[in-house]
């Protein structure tokens, strides 16, 4: 299955978690959780894929997916996250979520 489709399915199922940093950025920019989720669902493509070594998971690399897309109201949002397993199911884990600079 396409990664973007997997991410969108997780978002629609509300299987999304935000880091404290992502929550802080979202609130600073006046964005709701629904704004971020709308933006992801509206995405046409993943802008880029990064590899990151998690400090908490020695020896393991995560693929970080960067998504830039608008809400239904046209507000462009930058989101960076990864898919992880939690409690036997997948979750889209958001590391960064903020408005794109204009």
């Amino acid at each position: 299955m396409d990664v973007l489709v997997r991410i969108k399915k997780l978002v629609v199922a509300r299987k999304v978690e935000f880091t404290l940093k992502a929550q802080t950025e979202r609130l600073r920019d006046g964005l709701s959780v629904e704004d971020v989720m709308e933006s992801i669902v509206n995405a046409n493509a993943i802008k880029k894929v990064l590899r990151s070594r998690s400090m908490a998971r020695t020896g393991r690399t995560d693929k970080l997916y960067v998504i830039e897309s608008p809400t239904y109201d046209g507000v462009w949002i930058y989101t960076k996250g990864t898919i992880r397993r939690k409690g036997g199911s997948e979750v889209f884990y958001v590391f960064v979520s903020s408005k794109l600079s204009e």
Side-chain angles (χ1 to χ4, degrees), residues 12-55:
V12 169
R14 300 190 74 81
K15 293 183 178 184
V16 179
E17 291 191 19
F18 290 80
T19 64
L20 181 58
K21 179 182 182 227
Q23 288 178 23
T24 302
E25 291 169 338
R26 179 182 60 75
L27 293 170
R28 179 199 64 216
D29 287 349
L31 299 170
S32 68
V33 170
E34 287 73 22
D35 290 332
V36 176
M37 292 175 30
E38 282 178 12
S39 170
I40 294 169
V41 170
N42 285 340
N44 292 327
I46 292 173
K47 182 166 183 153
K48 62 180 150 179
V49 179
L50 308 169
R51 289 211 179 266
S52 174
R53 182 178 302 273
S54 172
M55 298 304 283

Side-chain angles (χ1 to χ4, degrees), residues 78-95:
Y78 172 94
T79 303
K80 180 168 59 174
T82 191
I83 298 172
R84 289 192 177 159
R85 295 207 64 82
K86 182 176 180 181
S89 63
E90 288 186 333
V91 173
F92 185 62
Y93 194 71
V94 178
F95 294 107

